[in-house]
Amino acid sequence: MLDFGGQYSQLIARRVRECGVFSELLPHHVPLEEIKRRKPRGLILSGGPASVYSEDAPRLRPELLELGIPVLGICYGMQAMVLSLGGRVEAAEVGEFGRSRLTVIEPGCLLAGLPAEQACWMSHRDTVFQPPPGFTALASSSESPVAAIEDVQRGLYGIQFHPEVVHTPHGTEILTTFLGGACGCDLDWSPASVIDEQIADIRARVGDGRVVCGLSGGVDSSVAALLVHRAIGDQLTCVFVDHGLMRKGEGDQVIAAFRDHFKVPLVAVDAEERFLARLAGITEPEAKRKVIGAEFIRVFEEEAAKLGDPKFLVQGTLYSDVIESGGGTGAATIKSHHNVGGLPEDLRFDLVEPLRGLFKDEVRQVGSELGLPDRLVWRQPFPGPGLGIRIVGGEITKERLDILRDADWVLMDEIKAAGLYRNLWQSFCVLPADVRTVGVQGDERSYGHVIVVRAVTSDDAMTADWARLPYDLIEKISSRMINEIPAVNRVVLDVTSKPPGTIEWE
């Protein structure tokens, strides 16, 4: 897939994978040789926010349509294809945003077997009024005279609507037709299929070298560690760094699981004082992330020197980490992840990132296949910088960490008791560092901290919606926090979705 800046680009990549075909998302300007090197079976051109007539609009290189493989243009991708091949694209009198009605004029190959009238999701102002020579117009909508086209002889297809969103009920069928029919893909890829491929790749790359893994206990680093351990056995040593930013009791659980249950060589490092000293006085969120990421690497390097100076470092980097840190697709950096954008430039290790091409839910599938227990497979995401990025707008201190740890413990206890833990993508607390509020406790004035409760639902963390927790549950959480944590006198609920917000506050 080539990304022209569309808000749904990552979602298209996920939908293609769900159809049973591995997909990779690259920037639209990626060198042609990089595309050819991958030997793709097909090409998808994503949507994008620009008008094809804007001076700074990304252009479609004609050679992309001459690779000898099928091409599907979606929204902007279709318009760019039509314009480059001599069709007519113009600004419509009325933009078309949201749910629309698609009328199939000629099913052709792409829309074969689908209803003559169907719903679809649109998001555009420019529209196609006339397809290029050799193309058949397949469908229209109220504001799009030509909403789907194909030239089967050349293997070129285009749709104005978005098949990747749930609001296009037959979108998956259209993608499957393109992937299986036009591209001839077998539709049998699954996340678990990467296990053998990654094991072979790790063995070939590492040889008989020593490897160290940064283990946090989250599903990402846990799956990465087990995958590498299966590939090279005791050539791997996991290093668990307790930076003092973990949740209550979490460090002991990680050590027990990997050292005692999985018998993976493990070194545990108590580095709380060291990290807190480095973070003293730092309030800016990106600075926190970079300090934590850099200090992690420094600790790894010191431990590595005691282990025979291994050359390789394993990390549980995911595809969403890469995208949000501005890598892979040319996307804007939303925030740097400590294991992507926060790495120091003088890194002495060669990185091994076996999960770099997978989304979170795909990693869970790999973890289950590797035998990881459900309590680890379904552990809610916890950022590498830990509670350090949940103390916002101020300095990280031991006192603030303890308050946040106690609040998080209450929240998790109640969420699990309500049977909602697996239903939520993440649920956690945020402590606005320098905010105090007046309260009344025991007939006396109090001046305490505010705890923000954040709970979201999501499929892959690229988008998220705030979770509608039951009112009685919210009341119980608030009451317990205020009663059990003396420093807290107010609890509030974050009802922001992503976008416009992010899941984490920093």
Side-chain angles (χ1 to χ4, degrees):
M1 283 187 49
L2 297 186
D3 184 10
F4 286 86
Q7 61 177 315
Y8 302 126
S9 296
Q10 293 83 18
L11 187 55
I12 302 172
R14 284 183 47 76
R15 291 292 179 259
V16 170
R17 294 183 183 197
E18 290 169 2
C19 290
V21 177
F22 180 75
S23 63
E24 186 175 4
L25 184 63
L26 299 173
H28 68 88
H29 51 72
V30 66
L32 196 64
E33 290 306 312
E34 277 296 301
I35 298 175
K36 291 180 178 178
R37 183 176 63 80
R38 289 166 167 78
K39 299 180 180 178
R41 299 291 295 271
L43 193 65
I44 294 179
L45 312 176
S46 84
S51 165
V52 289
Y53 292 108
S54 297
E55 291 185 7
D56 57 351
R59 302 301 174 190
L60 176 63
R61 291 166 288 170
E63 55 266 33
L64 292 174
L65 306 180
E66 300 168 0
L67 293 172
I69 58 174
V71 179
L72 172 65
I74 296 176
C75 195
Y76 181 90
M78 171 185 169
Q79 295 170 8
M81 179 193 298
V82 167
L83 189 64
S84 70
L85 295 175
R88 183 161 63 95
V89 181
E90 295 181 4
E93 291 186 7
V94 178
E96 198 169 16
F97 298 95
R99 196 182 304 275
S100 186
R101 197 72 187 164
L102 188 73
T103 299
V104 177
I105 303 167
E106 167 59 53
C109 294
L110 195 61
L111 305 182
L114 299 184
E117 297 285 335
Q118 55 186 281
C120 68
W121 189 261
M122 294 282 195
S123 182
H124 67 102
R125 289 195 181 278
D126 290 346
T127 194
V128 176
F129 282 83
Q130 183 177 337
F135 279 79
T136 299
L138 304 180
S140 65
S141 70
S142 60
E143 304 301 331
S144 298
V146 181
I149 58 173
E150 69 179 21
D151 183 338
V152 177
Q153 291 298 111
R154 285 189 286 178
L156 302 179
Y157 305 83
I159 48 179
Q160 182 61 69
F161 52 92
H162 289 270
E164 68 275 15
V165 301
V166 295
H167 307 292
T168 301
H170 296 283
T172 298
E173 295 169 70
I174 294 170
L175 288 174
T176 299
T177 297
F178 174 72
L179 298 167
C183 300
C185 297
D186 292 332
L187 309 181
D188 59 359
W189 179 86
S190 71
S193 68
V194 309
I195 294 176
D196 291 340
E197 175 187 328
Q198 283 299 322
I199 287 174
D201 183 69
I202 292 165
R203 287 173 178 168
R205 184 177 177 198
V206 170
D208 59 0
R210 299 290 302 173
V211 182
V212 65
C213 174
L215 181 65
S216 70
V219 64
D220 306 337
S221 65
S222 296
V223 172
L226 288 184
L227 192 53
V228 174
H229 188 252
R230 179 172 291 191
I232 60 174
D234 289 353
Q235 289 172 241
L236 167 72
T237 300
C238 289
V239 175
F240 169 66
V241 178
D242 187 347
H243 47 24
L245 309 174
M246 305 289 288
R247 293 172 289 196
K248 187 178 291 187
E250 202 159 33
D252 293 338
Q253 294 173 13
V254 173
I255 293 170
F258 277 82
R259 181 183 287 167
D260 302 337
H261 179 72
F262 292 112
K263 308 299 181 184
V264 176
L266 175 67
V267 174
V269 183
D270 183 355
E272 179 180 17
E273 291 185 6
R274 174 174 177 169
F275 273 81
L276 288 179
R278 287 282 289 112
L279 289 164
I282 297 175
T283 61
E284 203 278 323
E286 278 294 282
K288 290 178 185 176
R289 288 178 178 273
K290 291 184 184 298
V291 165
I292 294 170
E295 200 65 18
F296 255 106
I297 298 302
R298 298 288 88 94
V299 174
F300 287 142
E301 289 173 340
E302 292 169 13
E303 294 303 318
K306 304 173 186 177
L307 299 169
D309 203 20
K311 179 183 179 182
F312 299 94
L313 170 64
V314 177
Q315 293 202 126
T317 307
L318 303 189
Y319 201 23
S320 52
D321 298 337
V322 175
I323 292 169
E324 286 202 333
S325 293
T329 68
T333 299
I334 299 169
K335 58 184 177 182
S336 64
H337 290 258
H338 83 287
N339 55 347
V340 184
L343 292 175
E345 294 182 2
D346 60 343
L347 181 69
R348 298 208 311 255
F349 297 106
D350 288 342
L351 292 180
V352 177
E353 299 174 307
L355 311 178
R356 189 179 178 91
L358 299 180
F359 291 99
K360 176 74 77 173
D361 61 321
E362 296 171 338
V363 171
R364 296 192 198 280
Q365 293 180 51
V366 172
S368 293
E369 191 74 16
L370 291 171
L372 198 65
D374 278 356
R375 63 184 176 83
L376 291 179
V377 169
W378 293 101
R379 177 182 182 262
Q380 290 182 1
F382 186 63
L387 300 179
I389 59 169
R390 293 177 179 173
I391 295 174
V392 302
E395 182 182 10
I396 298 170
T397 66
K398 181 70 162 60
E399 177 190 6
R400 288 167 176 169
L401 285 167
D402 287 342
I403 293 170
L404 187 54
R405 247 188 292 269
D406 289 342
D408 186 86
W409 177 266
V410 170
L411 177 64
M412 285 298 100
D413 191 42
E414 291 299 332
I415 290 291
K416 290 175 181 177
L420 296 176
Y421 186 80
R422 287 276 296 269
N423 297 340
L424 301 174
W425 179 264
Q426 275 180 273
S427 49
F428 58 90
C429 296
V430 175
L431 175 65
D434 293 325
V435 176
R436 298 286 194 281
T437 69
V438 174
V440 179
Q441 292 174 284
D443 294 327
E444 293 183 353
R445 178 185 187 274
S446 67
Y447 194 56
H449 287 275
V450 178
I451 292 294
V452 180
V453 172
R454 176 74 161 147
V456 299
T457 58
S458 180
D459 291 326
D460 54 17
M462 300 308 299
T463 60
D465 192 16
W466 64 277
R468 275 63 170 174
L469 299 176
Y471 287 161
D472 58 346
L473 174 60
I474 295 172
E475 181 182 23
K476 191 172 183 181
I477 290 168
S478 175
S479 177
R480 279 193 60 187
M481 287 183 184
I482 292 171
N483 288 328
E484 297 177 20
I485 309 170
V488 173
N489 74 350
R490 192 178 300 268
V491 178
V492 300
L493 183 66
D494 181 351
V495 294
T496 311
S497 295
K498 174 186 179 180
T502 55
I503 295 177
E504 298 286 349
W505 276 35
E506 289 193 344

